[in-house]
Amino acid sequence: MPEGISGNRIERLAARGGAQALRLSHESGYSVVVSEHGAHVVSWVGPNERELLFMSEAARFEPGIPIRGGIPIVFPQFGEGVLPKHGFARTMEWKAIREQVSVSGPVTVTFRLLSDAQTLQLWPHRFQVELDVVLTDVLLLSLRVENTGDSRLEFNSALHTYFRTKDVAGVRVRGLEGSESVDFLKDRTIAIDPHPEIGISGPVDRVYRNSPQTVLVESAQDGIVYQITKEGFADTVIWNPWIDGARAISDFLAAEYREMVCVESGNILTTIALEPGELHASAQILRADFQRG
Ligand code: TA6
């Protein structure tokens, strides 16, 4: 177990649902838990032990099943299509291949997923995907996709981030005014949001095309402003199923729609093409600013 003298450290946690998980702790008081199942961030805790990500009470931690909450990795397909919904990366076993603990610096683990017989059956492309989880007082997730085959491949991707909130009614998303959005609940109607802040008072499932690099998620009831900064991801998704949508999801409790909002960085309306040997890098940085304790 690598351990720095400053309190920075990485621990291996008892397997849940058969998958190994790693806890990264940083001297700033932040920690993050990442499961090798999907290279899925299942917890991001801030100072004073505050959990910042939503995880459903009904989430299942089982091989082959996506985990409801945290930060699922969507790859190589977003939403419904020829592959399983949101692709296969979130349900596969990744490997932690590098761990680094530096004194007064970041705590980093890199996870890797390689194409294999199972993925080739679903998707006929050879690839390598790596996720760096870099923890300081911010959480940086950096995703690299490489085409290791001999033909062109195309993919979509997203970091499907579930923020925890005491009440979604008090959430405002800022920074998306002027961006074109595609509304998945209204036959993909295209609109431009004129409002400087977006409130959530019903089901929402919208993708904002070529959204700004930084988006804020303010939660009045929590006294937290999350800052989401992205690079190499063109789009931003806002999703909340509301009560009826939540009822239709088997691993989600109906009342929990109030406790979450997904604001996701992704390449969704923008498809990335890679020729053999090419690599695409993207990143999402999460920062939590506490307005009060
Ligand atoms: O990102 C929003 C979305 O694509 C919604 O349409 C909704 O279905 C959600 O993801 C969750 O998908 P999941 O497959 O995890 O139930």
Side-chain angles (χ1 to χ4, degrees), residues 68 78-79 85-86 90 160 162 205 237 239 249 264:
R68 177 69 59 200
F78 184 89
K85 188 174 172 198
H86 286 333
R90 64 179 181 166
H160 199 301
Y162 286 77
D205 192 356
V237 183
W239 178 61
I249 303 174
E264 314 159 27

Side-chain angles (χ1 to χ4, degrees), residues 74 78 86 157-161 163 173 176 181-182 184 198 200 204-209 211 215 217 228 230 233-240 261-269 284:
V74 173
F78 184 89
H86 286 333
S157 57
L159 298 174
H160 199 301
T161 311
F163 291 97
V173 182
L176 290 167
S181 70
V182 178
F184 279 66
I198 299 166
I200 296 161
V204 55
D205 192 356
R206 282 198 296 270
V207 185
Y208 290 79
R209 190 195 300 276
S211 52
V215 171
V217 179
I228 308 163
K230 63 181 173 62
F233 284 124
D235 311 317
T236 299
V237 183
I238 306 183
W239 178 61
N240 183 296
V261 61
C262 282
V263 181
E264 314 159 27
S265 304
N267 287 308
I268 295 156
L269 305 171
Q284 172 177 270

Side-chain angles (χ1 to χ4, degrees), residues 166-225:
K166 286 188 182 129
D167 188 355
V168 72
V171 167
R172 299 286 177 271
V173 182
R174 295 183 188 275
L176 290 167
E177 67 275 19
S179 294
E180 181 182 280
S181 70
V182 178
D183 197 329
F184 279 66
L185 299 179
K186 291 186 187 152
D187 290 334
R188 301 197 176 209
T189 306
I190 293 175
I192 291 189
D193 213 316
H195 306 294
E197 55 174 47
I198 299 166
I200 296 161
S201 52
V204 55
D205 192 356
R206 282 198 296 270
V207 185
Y208 290 79
R209 190 195 300 276
N210 293 328
S211 52
Q213 195 182 22
T214 299
V215 171
L216 300 179
V217 179
E218 296 185 7
S219 175
Q221 273 77 359
D222 297 273
I224 300 180
V225 179

